Amino acid sequence: MERSPLARPFPAMPAIPGAVPRIARARYKTWDRCDLTYVEFDEGTSVAGVFTRNVCCSSEVELGREQVKLGRARALVVNAGNSNAFTGYRGREAVEQIMAQVAAHLGCRPSDVFVSSTGVIGVPLPKDKAEAGVMNAFAAEPCDWQAAADTIGTTDTFAKGATASAMIGDTRIEIAAIVKGSGMIAPDMATMLGYIFTDAKVAPGFLQACLSAASDATFNCITVDSDTSTSDTVLAFATGRAGNAEIVDADSPGADAFAAAIHDVCRQLAHLVVRDGEGAQKFIEIAVTGAVSDESARRVGLAIANSPLVKTAIAGEDANWGRVVMAVGKAGEPADRDRLSIGFGGNWAARNGLPLADYDEAPVAAHLKGQDIRIDVDLGMGDGTATVWTCDLTHGYISINADYRT
C-alpha cells in the first residue's frame, strides 16, 4: 500500500526494561509478513486500559475491561488480520486459549495476559494458527518497537510510534508507545489499538487516571470517518524498573510530570492515526472557541470534522466556509448565527455572522494547498474551547474500503 503523504518517520525509541517485544507469523491472512506481536513483562508490572464503547465489541475487549481492574500484567498478544469480533463463543474460546497458553509459559494467571485482535469482523480467530503463532513468538528473538508497530498494522501505510520522558525526583523515566489505526476511526474512547510502555513505578489506579484523562483529550478528539471500531483498545504498562519512588496518586512527587508525559505520547499517537487516515492527503486541526462549555465545543468540532461536505471541500482545496457554517448548525449545540465567526489558517472569512467586507480569499486558498490545515470557529457564546483533528475525504478512502476483504 502506498505510504501516506502525511506520514512521519518512526522515532528513535528507548528500550523499556521489563518489557520485551517479539514478533511472529500466525498467518491469519494470506500475506508474507509477521502478524502477531508478543510483549513479555516483568512480574509486578502495572496496567491500565481504555476500551471501545461499541456494543458489538470483541471478546478481547470484554475480557480486557475486567482484567484491567486487577491492575497487573505479564504479557500482551496482538493479532493482526482478524478482529475476532462478532464471532460468539468460538471467538471467546480462541482468546481464552491464547491467555491459557501464555499463562502456562510464564507461570502466571490467565488474567495477567492481555489479548487484542484487529482486522476483518465476523471470522473466528483460528485456534490452530493462534497456538502456532504464539509458540513461534516464544521462540523468536526480541525485536525493536518499530518491528512491533509494523506487525500490528492492517491498512496502515507507516509504522507509528511516540516517545517521551520525565523526571521523577532524581530518576529519569522513559515512555515508548506504538499505535495502529487508519480507518474505522471515531472518538468513543480509543479509536484504534495503542500500547504504551514505561519503566516508571506507578500504582495501577494512578496509571488508569492518567490514561483516562489523556485519552479524553487526545484519542477522543480525533476522527477519520465517524466509525467506532469493535476492537478499540489502548493499554498502558508500567514495569517499575526505573527505580523511582512509586507514584501512587496526584500528590506523589513527579505525578504531574508523569501525567504530562503520558498525555504527550497519547497526543502524538492520535495525530499519527489521523495522518494515516485512509486515503488522506491533508491533516486538519479544528479549533473551536466561544462555546457554552468545553464538551459543547468538542461536539461542534466533531460535527465539522465528520462532515463529508467539509472534508471533501478541503480535499478539493475549496475555501467553502459555508459548509463549516452548516456543520456548526447541525451539531445540536447552542450556537447563534449572528455571533458565529469562521476562519482558515489564521485568516477570518466571516465575523459575527457576516462575511468580512474586505475578505480576501487568496491567502485562504494558499493555506488550503498545504498539507496541514487549520479551521477556526468562534461561537461567541461562552468560554468553552476544544481542538479536534481529522483528515480530508478522498477517493482513496473509497478504494481502500471497497476492496478491504478481498
Side-chain angles (χ1 to χ4, degrees), residues 38-44 67 72-76 98-114 138:
Y38 170 67
V39 186
E40 189 173 310
F41 303 109
D42 282 0
E43 291 187 24
Q67 290 171 258
R72 299 294 173 188
R74 287 296 312 281
L76 167 69
I98 293 171
M99 294 168 65
Q101 182 181 2
V102 176
H105 176 72
L106 296 177
C108 66
R109 298 169 299 182
S111 58
D112 294 337
V113 180
F114 288 78
F138 292 158

Side-chain angles (χ1 to χ4, degrees), residues 348-361:
W348 292 104
R351 295 286 280 176
N352 299 317
L354 290 172
L356 292 180
D358 58 351
Y359 171 56
D360 181 1
E361 192 166 293

Side-chain angles (χ1 to χ4, degrees), residues 255-403:
D256 288 346
F258 179 75
I262 291 291
H263 182 278
D264 182 24
V265 295
C266 289
R267 180 188 55 80
Q268 292 180 58
L269 296 179
H271 285 195
L272 289 170
V273 171
V274 171
R275 288 187 175 278
D276 203 17
E278 291 172 344
Q281 301 289 310
K282 297 180 186 294
F283 176 87
I284 306 169
E285 178 175 280
I286 302 167
V288 179
T289 58
V292 295
S293 68
D294 291 349
E295 184 56 36
S296 181
R298 175 160 55 182
R299 293 194 185 104
V300 170
L302 289 171
I304 299 166
N306 282 323
S307 166
L309 287 176
V310 172
K311 290 158 71 74
T312 50
I314 299 299
E317 300 175 354
D318 179 11
N320 190 343
W321 53 267
R323 292 184 174 183
V324 179
V325 174
M326 172 279 300
V328 172
K330 75 168 187 176
E333 294 298 314
D336 184 335
R337 177 198 61 198
D338 296 331
R339 301 184 194 181
L340 180 61
S341 301
I342 306 290
F344 295 88
N347 302 284
W348 292 104
R351 295 286 280 176
N352 299 317
L354 290 172
L356 292 180
D358 58 351
Y359 171 56
D360 181 1
E361 192 166 293
V364 174
H367 175 68
L368 293 180
K369 290 185 179 300
Q371 288 187 336
D372 288 10
I373 308 301
R374 179 182 172 94
I375 300 174
D376 288 289
V377 175
D378 188 346
L379 298 174
M381 302 287 291
D383 298 324
T385 64
T387 302
V388 303
W389 299 276
T390 189
C391 58
D392 58 343
L393 180 60
T394 71
H395 193 277
Y397 182 88
I398 299 171
S399 298
I400 290 167
N401 286 286
D403 297 332

Side-chain angles (χ1 to χ4, degrees), residues 42-58:
D42 282 0
E43 291 187 24
T45 295
S46 299
V47 65
V50 285
F51 302 87
T52 184
R53 294 192 181 102
N54 189 309
V55 297
C56 293
C57 65
S58 66

Side-chain angles (χ1 to χ4, degrees), residues 148-335:
D150 277 326
T151 298
I152 67 176
T154 48
T155 59
D156 302 63
T157 70
F158 65 95
K160 305 173 185 67
T163 184
S165 62
M167 294 301 298
I168 310 300
D170 296 328
T171 304
R172 178 186 173 96
I173 65 95
E174 300 287 351
I175 302 174
I178 60 175
V179 70
K180 68 85 53 182
S182 184
M184 205 179 290
I185 302 295
D188 201 358
M189 187 298 305
T191 70
M192 72 274 117
L193 298 184
Y195 307 100
I196 301 167
F197 311 96
T198 178
D199 58 1
K201 188 172 182 60
V202 187
F206 186 69
L207 186 62
Q208 183 66 58
C210 290
L211 181 61
S212 295
S215 177
D216 194 48
T218 58
F219 299 131
N220 277 352
C221 291
I222 64 173
T223 180
V224 168
D225 47 23
S226 81
D227 288 332
T228 300
S229 169
T230 57
S231 305
D232 300 338
T233 299
V234 174
L235 294 169
F237 303 93
T239 68
R241 288 283 298 278
N244 61 286
E246 185 175 27
I247 306 174
V248 296
D249 56 32
D251 295 324
S252 297
D256 288 346
F258 179 75
I262 291 291
H263 182 278
D264 182 24
V265 295
C266 289
R267 180 188 55 80
Q268 292 180 58
L269 296 179
H271 285 195
L272 289 170
V273 171
V274 171
R275 288 187 175 278
D276 203 17
E278 291 172 344
Q281 301 289 310
K282 297 180 186 294
F283 176 87
I284 306 169
E285 178 175 280
I286 302 167
V288 179
T289 58
V292 295
S293 68
D294 291 349
E295 184 56 36
S296 181
R298 175 160 55 182
R299 293 194 185 104
V300 170
L302 289 171
I304 299 166
N306 282 323
S307 166
L309 287 176
V310 172
K311 290 158 71 74
T312 50
I314 299 299
E317 300 175 354
D318 179 11
N320 190 343
W321 53 267
R323 292 184 174 183
V324 179
V325 174
M326 172 279 300
V328 172
K330 75 168 187 176
E333 294 298 314

